[in-house]
Amino acid sequence: MRKIKVRLGINSYDIYIGSGLLMQTGRQLKEYGFAGKLVIITNPIVKRLYGNALKQSLTREGFKVTVLQVPDGEEQKSLEVAGRLYNELTDFYSERTTPILALGGGVIGDLTGFVAATYLRGVPLIQIPTTLLAQVDSSIGGKVAVNHGRLKNKIGAFYQPRLVISDISTLRSLPTKEFIGGLAEVIKSAVIGDEELFAYLERNLDQIKSLDDRALETIVFRSAKIKAEVVEKDERDFGLRNILNYGHTVGHAIESVSDFKVQHGEAVAIGMLAAARISNKLGLLDKNELIRLKGIIARAGLPTEFPNLQLESLIQAIRHDKKILQGKVRFVLPKSIGNVFITDEASLSLVERVLVNWNGET
Ligand SMILES: NC(=O)c1ccc[n+]([C@@H]2O[C@H](COP(=O)([O-])OP(=O)(O)OC[C@H]3O[C@@H](n4cnc5c(N)ncnc54)[C@H](O)[C@@H]3O)[C@@H](O)[C@H]2O)c1
């Protein structure tokens, strides 16, 4: 088991990463001073897989457990569903010290976090992420949110969890496509801040893809550590935290133009490669680094070919992105693997050139 301390003053918390942690959650929560009632929010898929194990571990230590469910899917991240959960909580919830546990992927984590941040003006939140994306990214850093109309993730708060418990053995049941999508975020973490993690991925991708415990623990630990370090320096997203959006400028445009048919991780993979090519064209990133990045993306099972989308619409989507300032787009660009910077200097015409010439490039 590995532990990361996220240092945020009174909002500090620990992240535990290891195999079989679900079974120890009851004991762990007791050690952190929790007692009495608690509420788990999950979805039917995750409940069927892990609901009983978690519940048993909690009841064994004397906790009184209520499980609330929302259906699976991104559309559940809504004010309506949050409202329904407030009503259900009112039937079961006891005191403001009663923790709410988010058991599931990023959707459950964001929704439950939003509910925990707002119910009774804030109650203890414990994240128990069960997807690779949630373990390396969304459960850490306190961004909790729901979607509303055209606003994705824009109704929310900064609300740090009291504890994050990442049981890597839950990744075994993850559909392969979800796992590979999560690998895009691991690659992202390596490129923005951990050259050694990148080299580890290059050496161990086969073990990672065959879900070897030690390899999974290593990649989740190192990626979570990068996220924690960035959040520690910029909890409220005033600047540095933007580097976590590496690959997301073009990635978001691809997701939106494809009507979300291109999965998030796949879109981010193309976005990371696009940003790296832009950086290379600006003379900032060495060709060899670009080749390494493309290699690891391909070996992970993520796309390197551009999806069949109308270029015009993509440029339009990037143009409409709020990060655009006077014909220049805000980009997170790698200078080398493990080192990125934020710039407003990438012109739309350069972005367009990189996308138009996609197939002829490294
Ligand atoms: N808060 C943040 O900082 C942050 C960062 C990145 C992404 N997000 C959000 O995260 C969400 C995406 O999260 P996600 O990729 O985890 O998707 P998800 O929560 O929809 O989970 C993906 C699928 O896997 C299923 N699942 C979860 N755990 C499983 C397991 N162990 N075995 C089998 N199936 C399992 C889910 O039921 C779902 O069908 C988006 O809403 C995104 O906006 C938030």
Side-chain angles (χ1 to χ4, degrees):
M1 182 178 70
R2 313 281 277 267
K3 180 177 163 183
I4 298 167
K5 180 137 202 106
V6 188
R7 292 189 172 79
L8 293 168
I10 56 162
N11 293 328
S12 297
Y13 53 98
D14 295 327
I15 303 170
Y16 289 93
I17 296 151
S19 177
L21 296 188
L22 221 51
M23 310 298 286
Q24 301 166 32
T25 304
R27 193 164 43 76
Q28 202 140 40
L29 292 193
K30 241 177 147 179
E31 280 172 20
Y32 276 77
F34 293 105
K37 275 192 177 184
L38 51 77
V39 178
I40 298 170
I41 298 181
T42 188
N43 73 26
I45 294 176
V46 182
K47 180 173 180 241
R48 185 176 54 78
L49 291 162
Y50 303 111
N52 275 345
L54 178 60
K55 203 170 166 186
Q56 271 172 25
S57 143
L58 294 163
T59 48
R60 212 171 33 229
E61 297 294 333
F63 287 99
K64 202 158 172 291
V65 183
T66 299
V67 182
L68 302 182
Q69 283 189 71
V70 296
D72 190 33
E74 174 74 22
E75 63 284 1
Q76 299 302 313
K77 268 175 60 175
S78 70
L79 287 171
E80 293 71 24
V81 175
R84 210 195 71 221
L85 288 167
Y86 297 143
N87 286 340
E88 293 183 21
L89 281 171
T90 307
D91 294 335
F92 298 110
Y93 202 81
S94 51
E95 291 162 30
R96 282 186 57 208
T97 50
T98 300
I100 302 185
L101 280 59
L103 174 68
V107 167
I108 286 293
D110 280 11
L111 171 70
T112 304
F114 179 82
V115 167
T118 47
Y119 188 65
L120 306 180
R121 295 188 191 84
V123 302
L125 167 68
I126 290 153
Q127 292 279 9
I128 308 189
T130 61
T131 63
L132 184 55
L133 178 138
Q135 295 189 353
V136 301
D137 192 350
S138 62
S139 65
I140 306 157
K143 279 193 182 178
V144 298
V146 294
N147 306 319
H148 188 60
R150 281 178 295 127
L151 299 172
K152 181 159 160 52
N153 286 332
K154 289 291 182 290
I155 308 296
F158 289 98
Y159 192 71
Q160 301 296 339
R162 296 280 283 272
L163 194 63
V164 180
I165 298 174
S166 287
D167 185 339
I168 53 152
S169 58
T170 60
L171 302 180
R172 295 191 171 281
S173 56
L174 211 53
T176 308
K177 205 171 161 73
E178 296 292 343
F179 182 78
I180 290 176
L183 281 180
E185 306 293 339
V186 175
I187 295 170
K188 178 194 84 177
S189 307
V191 175
I192 66 176
D194 189 348
E195 206 273 329
E196 256 181 58
L197 171 59
F198 196 93
Y200 183 88
L201 294 174
E202 290 179 317
R203 287 194 310 274
N204 296 283
L205 205 56
D206 294 339
Q207 285 94 314
I208 294 165
K209 287 176 85 177
S210 59
L211 307 177
D212 173 78
D213 265 358
R214 187 192 291 233
L216 288 181
E217 192 176 288
T218 303
I219 61 165
V220 173
F221 172 73
R222 293 193 81 120
S223 308
K225 200 156 170 44
I226 301 280
K227 172 113 192 215
E229 283 168 5
V230 172
V231 168
E232 281 175 346
K233 292 188 190 124
D234 181 22
E235 183 185 2
R236 297 261 158 170
D237 204 1
F238 289 123
L240 179 75
R241 201 164 165 162
N242 247 307
I243 68 170
L244 296 166
N245 287 330
Y246 169 54
H248 285 62
T249 307
V250 170
H252 280 155
I254 292 174
E255 275 185 289
S256 120
V257 172
S258 74
D259 216 3
F260 294 88
K261 286 190 186 71
V262 178
Q263 194 218 23
H264 180 71
E266 294 174 348
V268 168
I270 301 279
M272 290 193 289
L273 200 50
R277 285 178 180 177
I278 291 165
S279 191
N280 176 256
K281 292 265 177 287
L282 290 170
L284 299 166
L285 180 76
D286 197 84
K287 192 97 180 173
N288 283 335
E289 303 279 82
L290 191 54
I291 292 169
R292 285 177 77 194
L293 177 65
K294 188 176 176 187
I296 205 73
I297 289 174
R299 278 181 64 207
L302 289 158
T304 56
E305 296 292 311
F306 213 83
N308 191 11
L309 298 170
Q310 236 204 345
L311 208 61
E312 191 70 358
S313 315
L314 264 176
I315 299 293
Q316 202 60 16
I318 294 170
R319 201 190 290 276
H320 275 143
D321 197 297
K322 66 178 184 324
K323 296 173 205 94
I324 193 153
L325 302 161
Q326 295 160 350
K328 307 263 168 122
V329 194
R330 172 158 300 172
F331 261 94
V332 180
L333 298 183
K335 271 190 197 155
S336 61
I337 283 164
N339 183 10
V340 293
F341 72 110
I342 302 166
T343 177
D344 292 328
E345 286 310 309
S347 66
L348 253 184
S349 59
L350 173 58
V351 178
E352 201 168 340
R353 193 144 47 89
V354 163
L355 301 186
V356 170
N357 296 323
W358 192 267
N359 290 332
E361 300 278 338
T362 306

